[in-house]
Amino acid sequence: MESPLNCTSTNFEQAALTRFRSLAVFLPQDSKIFREPWGRSTVICIDFENCPHLFSVDEEQVHLLSEAIAKLGLANSIIFRIGSKIVGWKKMKSS
């Protein structure tokens, strides 16, 4: 069993991404979610490579994703991918 004092940045990031997935329950379980640096920014990538037939995110869902990302302080933008192909991008609004 892992010690509760094992608070590495990797563990923190995994916990934050797990929390994000729990807030975005409408995303397919087969989708991959990870953070990626882009220049001086950080983006959340949601990759539908394992389930391209399920790629369908409407404006309301994008709004919910944006709120969850802002709440957790995870990124400045969301990138939607199917493998290496970017199929959508949403920049977070500045507060």
Side-chain angles (χ1 to χ4, degrees), residues 11-54:
N11 289 352
F12 177 75
E13 181 153 330
Q14 288 303 345
L17 291 174
T18 298
R19 177 72 178 131
F20 173 73
R21 187 176 280 283
S22 75
L23 294 172
V25 295
F26 54 86
L27 291 175
Q29 287 299 309
D30 289 343
S31 61
K32 297 180 210 167
I33 300 173
F34 54 95
R35 289 187 345 141
E36 188 172 273
W38 277 61
R40 295 183 180 173
S41 297
T42 301
V43 298
I44 287 286
C45 295
I46 303 174
D47 190 345
F48 291 84
E49 181 175 34
N50 294 331
C51 51
H53 58 288
L54 297 176

Side-chain angles (χ1 to χ4, degrees), residues 51-64:
C51 51
H53 58 288
L54 297 176
F55 175 68
S56 175
V57 180
D58 63 31
E59 280 300 312
E60 183 179 337
Q61 291 170 325
V62 170
H63 179 72
L64 293 171

